[in-house]
Amino acid sequence: MYLAYGWPQSIPLDPDDSDRVVLLRVLGRLLLAVCPASLHLWSAAQHRVRLARFDRSPDSLAAHGQNAHAVWSPDAKTVAVLTSSFYLYIYRVQLSGKPLIVGGKQLPGLCLASISQIITEKVPLANGVAITSNFVCDSKSMLLGLSNGHVQVVSWNAEFSDSFKLRCSACSSEKPTAVVDALVFDPPSLQEKSNARPAPCCTGNSSIVHVELSVKLRLLVALYSGCHIAICTVGKKGLKQPGSIRVERWLDTDDAMCTSVASEQQILAVGCSRGVVELYDLAENTRHIRTISLYDWGYSVEDTGPVACISWTPDNCAFAVGWKFRGLTVWSVSGCRLMCTIRQTGSNSASSPMVKPSALKFEPLMGGASHIQWDDNGYKLFAVEESLSERVFAFSFAKGCLNRGLSGTTYSHQVLYGEDRILLVQPDDADELNILHLNVPVSYISQNWPVLHVVASNDGMYLAVAGSHGLVLYDLRNKRWRFFGDVTQEQKIQCKGILWLGKIVIICNYVELSNTYELLFFPRYHLDYSSLLYRKSLLGRPIVMDVFQDYILVTYSPFDVHIFHVMISGELSPVSNPVLQLSTVRELSIMSPKGPPVSMRFIPEQNDKGVLEQDTNGSSDLLSQQPSRCLILRANGELSVLDMDDGHERALTNSVELFWVTCSQFEEKGSLIKEVSWLDYGHRGMQVWYPSQGADPFKQEDFLQLDPELEFDREVYPLGLLPNVGVVVGVSQRMSFSTAEFPCFEPSPQAQTILHCLLRHLLQRDKLEEALRLANLSAEKPHFSHCLEWLLFTVFDADISRPSSSKNQNLQKVDSPKKSLLEKTCDLLRNFPEYMDVVVSVARKTDGRHWADLFSAAGRSTEMFEKCFQRRWYRTAACYILVIAKLEGPAVSQYCALRLLQATLDECLYELAGELVRFLLRSGRDFENATSDSEKLSPRFLGYFLFRSPYKRQSSDLKSNSTKELSPHIASVMNILESHASYLMSGKELSKLVAFVKGTQFDLVEYLQRERHGSARLENFASSLELIGQKLQMDTLQSRLDAEFLLAHMCSVKFKEWIVVLATLLRRAEVLVDLFRHDLRLWKAYSITLQSHDLFSEYLDLLNMLEEQLSSVPDLTLQNGPLS
């Protein structure tokens, strides 16, 4: 699994020679870029340095044309370049051997080089024949395709053999032609339409436009202009023996543009003109596996163009796709989008290949990708833009621990690692997952670049990190690194794999002098050969290793399994002298037609009786019981279980990319994942495997459970488990934009809970006590409420999705005491205070037609509302109103809503009160059409007699006629609102009044007009100014905003008493001048009041300002009196 991080780096090429890049190739630690008139050799290691350059002369370019095709020999010593005039140039690449000094230090493997031309030869082509494909090569020869459908083989000394046509065995004279149909492969859809489609080798002379060679598989793939693909076998002697190249089968496509072979996975990727990539299984007669595209992300072929190039990672676990018009994407084999340069702008964005120039700096490869190439370790992806070839982009990637090969499984931490760093997933203080970049010390990585293995210890306290040589340990608790004290000892170790055995780190070391492998056992407190606990020589090169408790598994090719038992005498500490003994307890040699495993993991024995005996007797023998089974994952994705007692292997599933054995792996008490045997991830998503209760422990229909709700988005790749939280941790790509030319790629961790799956599994098996115990363990974990909601939702969704016939059968079995899964789920959830909220949340997410089924198991909706109401959980209670309206009728829902409205107003929950008001007014209008019987229980009756406010209105006789004419349902709501407004106004709770008006949309203007001489009246200016000033607390911004809001409403109804008080508090001189200029008596009373009270001394400056402004007003204006 590969994820991009950081900003893309740029390797410059010639601006004057940037029409296009002919070849981009990485071999070892070297990067070669062939341009139309030059060759550039760069270092592809830790430091990007140009090591050599060769420029063709103007005379050569004029005579022989520009460079058109190129190929680099596997030993990186020879480059062959074909010009546009069909001249072949052979160049020799020679390293000087003198190390370069960077930053004052000599760097291993980095030295200057020279490129020299050694051969120039005219390609002997027949008249009218042209070279139309790229080069492919092995160590002896090169091959290219011609326009007449032939292929041409050339040696590295520029010796040309006769061109020949690729033919299947049936087309040769010594074979009968009746075999042709058996060798032609067509997809099933084409076979149904026609069985007589002729083999392409027998028809026409289509040109070969693309060739691909897999030396490991001895396979040649040739793509013809008619979109036919020839899949050919190559003889043991390689390309230099053209007669051994035979077409084994034909793949007929409609729009193939390019191909790429994953030799390890035996997968053929075909890029198409419609912008998709088709994957085919070469091991199963070119069976179609799946289609990969960006369609689901809103991008079509009009946005990206056809596929231009495909490049597989070195381990074939992922592949990069470059499109001709725009963008680059990296996919896993299962179809998970790991990285994408195309900016995701939403489904309704008009993203097209024609982009404004100003947008170029926000997206790399905006002009398409012409070449992409991974380095040998998969840490860098090099790419060249189609429309701007003056530089090579280098994207940095971190790899996930796929738990394959010789390194152990990391359970305690989720780790990604790059070429010089570790990306550690860890929760922050708010339990949100973040990624910590942990740089490997320069003193180690500069001499041992790159990082090759990272494994966390079982207790989560240490990380073991290995580069090209040696090993370093990182103490996660103390944040300190531990090195080998002797550098010569460090350089003797070439680590091929790491295992943790408690506090011992086990290194699988390759001894280069003797070409042998060995296991080295070091205590983690001291990395030195003087503290070496044990050295175990291995029989050969191991392919898989694993460890569980005291047992170590080592597997050799093709399938020889050895199991060792470790015994330690003495305390493992620096002050003691511990002794480690290793004994072989099992050897298996298994004959199997299947490929060798890429991963094997012990399956711990689950013996409840044994565990009980261990608990009572205090003996630990049973804890170290030798495992007799292990899981096997092969390169083709097949997952199987091996019984090591009898050597029998049983296939379980396929299309698996990675898996985690979880049973008995976690000793901590708070582990939430003990009920799971293992999990796997692949094209179908996440699969959870539970221990079977039947006689057959691997009966798939009982043992395997596919949880659709565990599926991640197809851009989130699972990293591993956090057992103490009960979640699966995944990671996806994000891009952050800044002033830099290109965005920064950021891996973003995400958590997917598994608790609901475990609880459902236990309930299905009637393990109610175990489910309750597991839920109690998780009650303090983050997202617990979300887990319960998912549990109920998935169970209820499955219940309503069942066919009606099965439901009817269940209804007929009234006498059966067995509860349904939905009822058992509700019984479990009742033990937690989140139950009320969970049930109504699930109801809101489902169709109202099924609410009766849900609440028949969960409880009556009115009873649940009443419990929430009594516990003052008003927000949850409000959610039940709609359910009650659906199940119990509008009269009951109005009754409940009116009770809740009064309670929320008393608690000043005005936003919630506003939602209730809107519901009541809407449902009240609908309720007017109810029957006369319903009218007898109308909300008018309930509102006037059950929901009266404790405050008695002072001027109820002033109620307007408009309110009296309202329908009884609406009038009851208005009665409650006006009662509460009068309560707030009489107590001068003005901030609450403003919140009340804004939350419920209460008509304050109409209320003030009606209550001018009632609850809104101010009896005395001085006391009112003092009281309102204390209530509003004018030193805060929100209080001033509330006062401004009230002043605006008071001005609209010309409420003088309130205007004077609020304008004084706000120091709004212009409002006061406008008021006093028409009423001299009010001005004099105002002035005398402020001057006669010491409490109002702070307003004397305002008073002086008013006197100054009013002095300029004519006396005639002042004598006019108050405004009418």
Side-chain angles (χ1 to χ4, degrees), residues 294-301 303 337 344-349 351:
L294 279 177
Y295 291 167
D296 291 342
W297 284 268
Y299 290 101
S300 64
V301 65
D303 303 316
R337 194 184 73 167
Q344 191 70 33
T345 53
S347 59
N348 56 356
S349 63
S351 302

Side-chain angles (χ1 to χ4, degrees), residues 269-453:
V270 179
C272 303
S273 61
R274 64 184 189 277
V276 306
V277 177
E278 305 285 359
L279 299 183
Y280 298 92
D281 190 343
L282 295 173
E284 296 187 17
N285 198 29
T286 330
R287 175 183 60 87
H288 181 262
I289 303 174
R290 64 187 60 94
T291 301
I292 307 293
S293 75
L294 279 177
Y295 291 167
D296 291 342
W297 284 268
Y299 290 101
S300 64
V301 65
E302 287 77 13
D303 303 316
T304 62
V307 175
C309 44
I310 303 173
S311 179
W312 288 88
T313 57
D315 58 4
N316 293 171
C317 291
F319 60 95
V321 179
W323 285 277
K324 186 173 181 61
F325 293 160
R326 180 185 180 188
L328 165 73
T329 299
V330 178
W331 306 86
S332 72
V333 177
S334 62
C336 181
R337 194 184 73 167
L338 304 176
M339 174 264 196
C340 185
T341 63
I342 301 177
R343 189 174 183 179
Q344 191 70 33
T345 53
S347 59
N348 56 356
S349 63
S351 302
S352 66
M354 302 302 295
V355 183
K356 295 180 180 179
S358 60
L360 287 174
K361 72 173 185 177
F362 298 116
E363 183 177 312
L365 302 175
M366 180 67 84
S370 59
H371 296 274
I372 52 177
Q373 179 73 39
W374 293 92
D375 71 359
D376 283 359
N377 296 295
Y379 291 128
K380 292 291 183 182
L381 176 61
F382 299 96
V384 177
E385 191 167 357
E386 178 74 30
S387 61
L388 189 65
S389 300
E390 63 184 19
R391 58 186 172 183
V392 177
F393 290 103
F395 297 91
S396 298
F397 278 80
K399 298 193 290 188
C401 301
L402 288 181
N403 306 328
R404 295 189 176 190
L406 303 180
S407 290
T409 304
T410 297
Y411 287 104
S412 56
H413 289 283
Q414 278 61 57
V415 176
L416 299 165
Y417 56 96
E419 58 182 352
D420 60 354
R421 70 190 62 203
I422 300 164
L423 283 68
L424 189 65
V425 180
Q426 59 182 15
D428 58 15
D429 296 336
D431 290 320
E432 296 294 332
L433 296 178
N434 291 315
I435 286 188
L436 172 68
H437 286 249
L438 184 65
N439 291 311
V440 180
V442 176
S443 59
Y444 175 78
I445 200 64
S446 62
Q447 301 298 318
N448 301 293
W449 181 92
V451 173
L452 297 177
H453 306 280

